[in-house]
Amino acid sequence: DVKVTQSSRYLVKRTGEKVFLECVQDMDHENMFWYRQDPGLGLRLIYFSYDVKMKEKGDIPEGYSVSREKKERFSLILESASTNQTSMYLCASSTPGTVITGELFFGEGSRLTVL
Amino acid sequence: DQQVKQNSPSLSVQEGRISILNCDYTNSMFDYFLWYKKYPAEGPTFLISISSIKDKNEDGRFTVFLNKSAKHLSLHIVPSQPGDSAVYFCAATTTSNTGKLIFGQGTTLQVKP
């Protein structure tokens, strides 16, 4: 089974703190994604990566950055956390061309609260 | 600009009856549509998909219908079961975009015993 592991299920941070959300997949997938889920807004794409050291902005990249130094690991970074970044963050991975057959695999999510 | 819209935030049905979840899209370039299901405290999981060259795809109790002229798709669950209670996300993509899915807002389905 594909395993996408997000290191922290629940985090509470203060405004202005730097926050790291880590994601690791064990299926040698080239593509990795970070989404956030908010009520009434669904899943919105923050950043994605097609390969090591490659990244592209999604629909809502403001306030976020990412790092992909190794193929299996994709990190989401909040340089200076703000209260409007309180959300559920979901990491996902896939092999190119397989998303259309449903082979986009998600982690269990990281619920971040910024106070 | 919401390219994929699920206008019903919630739906409640009785066990054994049909559940119909709706989704509209605006981008005519989309050529694949998918439904994902999400339970609380879990990641979304794939349910069923349909290509734009088809108008129906069926998998057990789940059927997705696509109306390209109306830019509308729907997910039918028959019969509905209490275990189907979850948030359902509609998603769309193009085969040329390297796998980026655009999701709708989600519909919370509650199936009452």
Side-chain angles (χ1 to χ4, degrees):
Chain A
D1 281 353
V2 175
K3 188 73 173 177
V4 179
T5 303
Q6 296 183 230
S7 57
S8 302
R9 296 295 306 275
Y10 301 94
L11 303 94
V12 180
K13 298 292 182 181
R14 297 281 181 190
T15 300
E17 277 193 76
K18 190 169 186 176
V19 182
F20 291 87
L21 299 179
E22 307 286 347
C23 175
V24 176
Q25 50 93 3
D26 65 358
M27 285 303 292
D28 202 36
H29 285 166
E30 287 83 356
N31 296 349
M32 296 189 74
F33 306 82
W34 274 106
Y35 287 87
R36 63 178 280 179
Q37 180 193 359
D38 300 288
L41 297 175
L43 299 174
R44 293 179 294 166
L45 183 63
I46 305 171
Y47 265 98
F48 57 107
S49 170
Y50 298 133
D51 204 345
V52 175
K53 297 191 185 296
M54 296 182 68
K55 58 185 180 183
E56 290 202 24
K57 294 179 180 179
D59 299 317
I60 51 164
E62 297 79 17
Y64 302 95
S65 62
V66 291
S67 172
R68 190 150 181 218
E69 296 296 318
K70 293 185 177 181
K71 191 174 185 179
E72 67 271 19
R73 187 179 297 271
F74 192 35
S75 303
L76 181 69
I77 304 158
L78 288 67
E79 293 289 342
S80 178
S82 63
T83 55
N84 63 12
Q85 292 178 311
T86 292
S87 186
M88 170 69 82
Y89 290 88
L90 292 158
C91 176
S93 72
S94 72
T95 297
T98 62
V99 167
I100 60 175
T101 56
E103 293 180 53
L104 177 67
F105 300 97
F106 283 87
E108 293 182 321
S110 298
R111 170 128 348 243
L112 171 66
T113 301
V114 183
L115 302 175
Chain B
D1 178 30
Q2 190 85 26
Q3 297 185 69
V4 178
K5 298 180 182 179
Q6 295 175 256
N7 293 317
S8 297
S10 63
L11 175 68
S12 182
V13 300
Q14 208 65 37
E15 181 178 5
R17 305 295 292 268
I18 185 172
S19 297
I20 300 176
L21 296 90
N22 294 303
C23 179
D24 298 297
Y25 62 97
T26 58
N27 188 341
S28 58
M29 298 300 291
F30 288 143
D31 52 9
Y32 268 90
F33 304 89
L34 302 92
W35 286 93
Y36 275 75
K37 179 168 75 172
K38 184 180 185 300
Y39 293 117
E42 294 184 13
T45 54
F46 170 72
L47 189 58
I48 192 170
S49 64
I50 188 167
S51 162
S52 61
I53 63 173
K54 296 185 175 181
D55 55 17
K56 176 183 175 181
N57 188 28
E58 190 172 354
D59 183 2
R61 296 186 297 113
F62 303 91
T63 303
V64 56
F65 296 92
L66 175 62
N67 182 334
K68 282 183 62 179
S69 61
K71 293 191 176 67
H72 176 84
L73 63 154
S74 60
L75 174 68
H76 293 211
I77 306 173
V78 184
S80 301
Q81 299 173 355
D84 296 328
S85 298
V87 180
Y88 289 78
F89 291 100
C90 172
T93 189
T94 64
T95 49
S96 61
N97 77 353
T98 65
K100 190 174 78 169
L101 286 180
I102 306 298
F103 286 87
Q105 303 98 313
T107 298
T108 300
L109 172 66
Q110 182 185 28
V111 180
K112 297 179 178 179

